[in-house]
Amino acid sequence: DGGITQSPKYLFRKEGQNVTLSCEQNLNHDAMYWYRQDPGQGLRLIYYSQIVNDFQKGDIAEGYSVSREKKESFPLTVTSAQKNPTAFYLCASGSLDTDTQYFGPGTRLTVL
Amino acid sequence: AQSVTQPDIHITVSEGASLELRCNYSYGATPYLFWYVQSPGQGLQLLLKYFSGDTLVQGIKGFEAEFKRSQSSFNLRKPSVHWSDAAEYFCAVGVNDYKLSFGAGTTVTVRA
């Protein structure tokens, strides 16, 4: 069953803690993306990767970090430096030739 | 930089009535164009996409969209709305740089 999986679906974190969100895809896509979604603001790009061991900052990368050690996986770490981390986080993957992106189910992060 | 505008934040439509969601973009060349739908707490699902050719594009769930170059628009339509179409809809633009720009979204409410 092909697709994109994100885990966990809900995540709670205390202030000052780092937390890692998982994203895995078995669609053999080269590109992977992380977005943040806040009410009324649409999607904002955090980081993206076009190839293993390489990634680029998006529009709101401060306070986040990523790695791309495998084609299938693109974990996102929300660090304590992120001032307002409570949000819905969406992972996507896609083909490089058409810009088409396919999305995972999302992770809702709440900072307590 | 390209931008995407969805002028309507919220639309209410009666079940069985027609629906049209507006999308305008700003970019010099013809971009790739997409419509996604998101149910509450879920990821985004691709409804349809336009790359080139026929300017009327058919998608899933009975949706279609028309690309109008002269108006820089890519409006989404459905002839007869079902209660299950209540969701948030996002227009997105790609310019073959491996990223998408998203509009802020339009929330559709369906009344019985």
Side-chain angles (χ1 to χ4, degrees):
Chain A
D1 193 6
I4 304 168
T5 57
Q6 292 186 243
S7 60
K9 186 171 180 61
Y10 299 98
L11 189 56
F12 297 89
R13 177 195 111 174
K14 293 182 179 180
E15 280 192 27
Q17 289 181 336
N18 292 354
V19 63
T20 298
L21 283 60
S22 170
C23 178
E24 304 275 335
Q25 56 100 359
N26 61 5
L27 300 170
N28 199 34
H29 286 157
D30 289 308
M32 297 189 73
Y33 307 82
W34 274 106
Y35 293 90
R36 171 181 171 138
Q37 187 178 28
D38 296 283
Q41 293 195 44
L43 278 70
R44 293 183 289 169
L45 182 63
I46 305 172
Y47 268 98
Y48 64 104
S49 168
Q50 301 163 27
I51 193 170
V52 173
N53 292 323
D54 189 37
F55 47 83
Q56 286 76 42
K57 293 182 179 180
D59 301 319
I60 56 164
E62 184 175 353
Y64 300 97
S65 66
V66 293
S67 63
R68 187 86 185 277
E69 298 178 0
K70 299 186 300 181
K71 186 176 184 177
E72 302 79 19
S73 178
F74 191 42
L76 173 73
T77 297
V78 184
T79 74
S80 57
Q82 169 51 234
K83 299 304 179 188
N84 185 22
T86 294
F88 190 53
Y89 290 87
L90 287 160
C91 177
S93 71
S95 59
L96 295 176
D97 55 345
T98 63
D99 288 351
T100 306
Q101 294 182 20
Y102 300 89
F103 285 80
T107 292
R108 183 164 299 281
L109 172 64
T110 302
V111 175
L112 303 173
Chain B
Q2 66 271 22
S3 65
V4 184
T5 302
Q6 293 182 245
D8 303 305
I9 296 173
H10 188 211
I11 286 179
T12 298
V13 61
S14 297
E15 193 169 14
S18 63
L19 173 68
E20 182 168 13
L21 304 181
R22 295 182 291 164
C23 174
N24 295 97
Y25 65 90
S26 173
Y27 186 68
T30 299
Y32 301 143
L33 298 160
F34 307 83
W35 275 100
Y36 289 87
V37 61
Q38 184 182 35
S39 297
Q42 304 296 318
L44 275 67
Q45 181 181 22
L46 180 66
L47 282 176
L48 48 78
K49 56 189 176 184
Y50 172 80
F51 297 146
S52 65
D54 192 347
T55 57
L56 186 61
V57 181
Q58 301 297 319
I60 62 171
K61 304 186 181 202
F63 284 92
E64 66 178 26
E66 186 172 13
F67 168 59
K68 292 187 177 179
R69 186 190 307 273
S70 61
Q71 299 177 18
S72 296
S73 69
F74 189 55
N75 294 349
L76 181 72
R77 299 193 294 253
K78 186 168 184 177
S80 177
V81 169
H82 187 261
W83 64 266
S84 60
D85 293 322
E88 189 161 19
Y89 293 80
F90 292 93
C91 180
V93 170
V95 294
N96 205 21
D97 65 349
Y98 316 123
K99 297 185 290 183
L100 294 181
S101 292
F102 286 84
T106 298
T107 300
V108 173
T109 298
V110 180
R111 61 184 174 213

